[in-house]
Amino acid sequence: MDSFINPYYIDIIVFLFIYIILGLGLNLITGYAGQVSLGHAAFYGIGAYTSAILTVKFGVNTWLAIFLAIVITFILSAILGLPSLRVSEDFLAITTLGLGLIIQSIFKNAEITGGAYGLDMIPAPSLFGLEIIDLSYLGLVLVMLLLAIFIMKRMTQSRIGRAWMTIHEDETVAQSMGINTTYYKVLAFAIGGAFAGAAGALFAHKVSYISADSFGFTLSATILSMVVLGGLGKIRGTILGVSLLYLLPELFRVFDIQLFDMKYLDLYKMMLYGMIMVLVMRYRPKGIFGNTSLKKRKKNRSSAKKKELRDGEIIA
Amino acid sequence: MLAQQLLNGVALGFTYVLIAIGLTMIYGVLKLLHFAHGVIYAVGVFAAMIGILYLNMNFIVACLFAMIIAAICGVAVERFAYRPLRNVHPITTLISGVGIAIFLESLFQVVFSSDPRAFPDTGMKVSVWKISESISITNVKLTIIVVGLVALVLLYAFLRWTKMGIAIQATAQDMRAASLMGVNVNRVVAITFMIGSAFAAIAGVLVAYDINSIYPTMGSVPGLKAFCVVVLGGLGSIPGTIIGGLILGIVESLSEGYLNGMIIDKDAIAFVILIIILLVKPSGLFGRKVEKV
């Protein structure tokens, strides 16, 4: 089966799914709980490095390593989320950005992370003696993605999700309604971080080589622009936003469209992402799939008109 | 050795002060964290390079040219990315700022290629001044300090004695009240962006000349460090920003001289300071008392 499908296409889909998991985590922190994070790549990096270090340096079983990576990212993200208790909104963005840069700099300088050289020879997971690569890895990532979507759906529709949304709307109100804002804010960071950790571990075992450069601010900003495009606080928004922005540049590569110098494809990609962030914020701050969908807006407008007419009649 | 490090730190600190002044003024007026400030810094550097290489300007004219181009770019960024979003949630504006910064930085890499290049020949020679046996300073670093001082004096005079300067202060205190008193708020904002961008540009040109290297992403780290300076000094406080910038410059310079083999880069120290300040004393050194930001 593997030979029928170009492994390159499989890789694209695998990375797309990993990005969606990463985006879901960020959406949880930023979209649902309203805590802006510009350091999401750090959580992704912690997951990737934890799993890589455990398997390469300590010879831990791959599956256990992935699981431990998620647990450790959960704990570390909770700790890194603590500033959100003192700092809010745009300053939180700067703080998380700073944390992201500090963590990236630790990856680059610490001994256990392989320093500037990074870590290589990260083994792929195996099941019953079969190494999971290519198509079967796609299966593994798909299972993780579905699990992530399921968890996120259940969580956001429960008491926790409602608490997050209240905090997002107005923290003071949330507090006065008896919501433990401290607990829920840290929880949002922990779970969002754990999602990123899972994505990072999957990434590490897929590419088998990681270095600090993969976890910089560019990645945080990329993921943020994808989530923002889809709409903050919407699961399908994230899935569609990430897919759209991730696949669009890949289309140029796959179909070999020579519209421009391919050398600069990554830069054009970043230009597109940046411009999308500006334009979406300006014209549709809730994203393509935000609450004010076109259909609803039309409906609202027509009902508002009707109301206006009615009021007019009364006055007349 | 210590005195030498301190002197280098002061020179470095003045570049941070020049960058951060714009941020703190913009924060004062608009309550906005201007994310694209680092890009404006790079705009200034490239404008100076083009001025020297293609328009045959001498160094001083090129500096002025860089300041003018950067001021225009700063106002354009404000018009395009911030003005349509005024009075909405700060996050929306912040994301817009991040977006424009990413866009411009990538555009610069496409246009000028991401490889570093040397600062064009200006005909000026780098000379070293010996102050005492062990302390010396290059004329470039001395220029940075002098330009920084002159710029600060001019800024003080502008804010204190001109009508526009007073209007800026009034807007920073209360935008609504200022606009009711007949201050053209949009003009105040535009002027603030112009001054801030021009200051960032001159800092950029001097740094590029000092390290003799130009590359499109050179503004991003100083732009982010400037946030640390602003927070350290107290939001919206110009004296605080000056002290904060000098502290950061000296701390970085000392860490370079005395701490080796640290687990974090020299560039990350600023963010450690930022996080500590935000957690412990969010009002900074000279800011108005705030419980929480």
Side-chain angles (χ1 to χ4, degrees):
Chain A
M1 183 76 183
D2 273 0
S3 55
F4 285 115
I5 304 164
N6 186 342
Y8 180 62
Y9 297 152
I10 298 176
D11 281 3
I12 292 178
I13 303 295
V14 167
F15 288 127
L16 171 67
F17 285 175
I18 290 175
Y19 267 55
I20 294 178
I21 299 176
L22 193 57
L24 287 174
L26 181 64
N27 198 0
L28 199 94
I29 300 173
T30 303
Y32 285 93
Q35 310 297 310
V36 182
S37 167
L38 284 178
H40 204 57
F43 301 141
Y44 184 57
I46 292 172
Y49 269 106
T50 313
S51 199
I53 289 169
L54 285 174
T55 46
V56 173
K57 303 234 159 163
F58 299 102
V60 177
N61 177 290
T62 318
W63 297 103
L64 185 64
I66 294 179
F67 176 73
L68 285 176
I70 297 173
V71 173
I72 288 173
T73 330
F74 181 87
I75 296 165
L76 282 179
S77 307
I79 296 168
L80 293 177
L82 287 177
S84 70
L85 304 177
R86 293 258 321 160
V87 185
S88 62
E89 292 170 357
D90 35 3
F91 287 94
L92 182 63
I94 303 290
T95 313
T96 49
L97 172 72
L99 279 174
L101 291 173
I102 294 169
I103 289 168
Q104 194 195 7
S105 144
I106 292 174
F107 289 154
K108 217 182 279 174
N109 292 301
E111 208 173 309
I112 196 160
T113 57
Y117 301 106
L119 286 170
D120 58 358
M121 314 266 286
I122 303 165
S126 59
L127 198 62
F128 308 121
L130 280 172
E131 220 176 31
I132 297 188
I133 41 164
D134 290 341
L135 206 58
S136 42
Y137 205 85
L138 180 64
L140 169 66
V141 176
L142 181 64
V143 169
M144 294 286 269
L145 174 63
L146 292 176
L147 195 68
I149 294 175
F150 175 74
I151 293 173
M152 184 125 166
K153 248 206 157 87
R154 288 304 296 267
M155 214 154 29
T156 50
Q157 285 167 357
S158 71
R159 193 187 158 81
I160 307 173
R162 286 193 295 274
W164 279 336
M165 269 179 237
T166 318
I167 293 172
H168 186 173
E169 291 302 325
D170 193 324
E171 222 179 301
T172 322
V173 169
Q175 226 155 13
S176 62
M177 279 163 65
I179 294 170
N180 185 346
T181 51
T182 306
Y183 170 77
Y184 282 108
K185 275 199 244 172
V186 172
L187 187 72
F189 268 96
I191 295 172
F195 274 49
L202 289 172
F203 171 75
H205 292 289
K206 170 71 198 164
V207 295
S208 84
Y209 165 74
I210 53 171
S211 77
D213 294 335
S214 321
F215 310 106
F217 173 65
T218 313
L219 180 68
S220 299
T222 305
I223 296 292
L224 184 66
S225 70
M226 290 170 171
V227 173
V228 161
L229 175 72
L232 292 166
K234 284 272 174 299
I235 295 176
R236 65 192 162 130
T238 303
I239 297 171
L240 284 162
V242 176
S243 309
L244 201 66
L245 284 191
Y246 185 78
L247 292 180
L248 197 65
E250 293 299 334
L251 284 181
F252 283 96
R253 249 192 281 247
V254 170
F255 294 111
D256 209 18
I257 302 171
Q258 296 289 350
L259 263 181
F260 37 68
D261 202 345
M262 293 308 276
K263 191 172 66 175
Y264 291 132
L265 186 64
D266 279 335
L267 290 174
Y268 288 122
K269 193 168 81 180
M270 288 317 289
M271 277 169 71
L272 174 76
Y273 293 168
M275 208 20 91
I276 279 176
M277 281 160 92
V278 178
L279 294 178
V280 167
M281 283 299 115
R282 184 159 169 184
Y283 295 109
R284 292 192 64 87
K286 301 219 156 145
I288 310 184
F289 304 97
N291 289 331
T292 51
S293 68
L294 210 58
K295 228 179 186 173
K296 234 184 227 165
R297 215 195 276 170
K298 264 189 192 149
K299 215 162 120 197
N300 283 348
R301 202 179 293 154
S302 60
S303 66
K305 226 178 230 165
K306 262 184 219 152
K307 192 162 177 282
E308 225 168 277
L309 282 178
R310 253 206 321 274
D311 291 348
E313 273 166 52
I314 293 164
I315 293 165
Chain B
M1 175 70 174
L2 179 69
Q4 179 67 56
Q5 297 289 355
L6 282 177
L7 195 61
N8 287 344
V10 170
L12 182 63
F14 266 106
T15 66
Y16 291 145
V17 171
L18 284 173
I19 306 165
I21 284 280
L23 278 185
T24 207
M25 283 174 68
I26 290 164
Y27 184 84
V29 170
L30 280 180
K31 304 286 168 285
L32 161 83
L33 292 177
H34 176 31
F35 219 92
H37 204 53
V39 180
I40 301 294
Y41 170 97
V43 166
V45 177
F46 277 93
M49 186 195 79
I50 289 171
I52 294 172
L53 277 186
Y54 302 108
L55 305 174
N56 294 322
M57 294 173 175
N58 70 21
F59 186 66
I60 293 169
V61 180
C63 282
L64 292 175
F65 178 67
M67 289 167 80
I68 292 166
I69 297 287
I72 294 169
C73 278
V75 174
V77 165
E78 193 268 330
R79 267 285 169 82
F80 181 69
Y82 298 137
R83 189 171 297 180
L85 296 170
R86 210 173 283 168
N87 298 325
V88 295
H89 202 266
I91 297 307
T92 318
T93 336
L94 182 90
I95 294 176
S96 182
V98 174
I100 200 83
I102 294 172
F103 173 78
L104 289 175
E105 214 167 78
S106 313
L107 181 69
F108 263 59
Q109 289 183 55
V110 171
V111 176
F112 295 107
S113 96
S114 29
D115 308 318
R117 55 181 90 192
F119 198 85
D121 187 30
T122 53
M124 294 198 300
K125 283 201 179 67
V126 178
S127 58
V128 179
W129 289 28
K130 282 222 168 221
I131 297 170
S132 74
E133 278 290 302
S134 56
I135 308 168
S136 59
I137 187 167
T138 62
N139 56 351
V140 185
K141 286 210 164 70
L142 198 66
T143 315
I144 292 176
I145 296 176
V146 171
V147 167
L149 286 173
V150 170
L152 290 177
V153 169
L154 286 179
L155 181 69
Y156 179 80
F158 173 75
L159 289 177
R160 186 75 194 269
W161 288 304
T162 65
K163 213 169 169 190
M164 196 61 199
I166 293 165
I168 290 177
Q169 291 189 53
T171 314
Q173 272 180 17
D174 190 332
M175 189 185 245
R176 210 175 132 79
S179 85
L180 289 174
M181 295 296 128
V183 172
N184 183 345
V185 172
N186 279 339
R187 229 175 108 202
V188 165
V189 170
I191 298 276
T192 311
F193 268 85
M194 277 169 141
I195 296 172
S197 305
F199 275 37
I202 188 80
V205 175
L206 291 173
V207 169
Y209 185 51
D210 186 28
I211 61 175
N212 195 19
S213 158
I214 302 179
Y215 49 97
T217 52
M218 66 186 301
S220 61
V221 172
L224 295 175
K225 279 184 189 167
F227 281 121
C228 310
V229 170
V230 170
V231 170
L232 176 62
L235 290 157
S237 152
I238 292 178
T241 303
I242 297 167
I243 306 288
L246 292 178
I247 290 178
L248 182 63
I250 291 170
V251 167
E252 282 194 352
S253 174
L254 288 181
S255 75
E256 200 172 11
Y258 292 100
L259 297 172
N260 286 317
M262 272 187 309
I263 198 161
I264 56 170
D265 293 337
K266 192 188 85 171
D267 286 341
I269 296 172
F271 300 103
V272 177
I273 297 177
L274 169 84
I275 290 165
I276 293 171
I277 291 282
L278 280 175
L279 294 184
V280 177
K281 194 172 184 302
S283 57
L285 297 174
F286 291 88
R288 268 176 246 153
K289 193 95 192 88
V290 277
E291 271 294 292
K292 203 176 153 182
V293 285

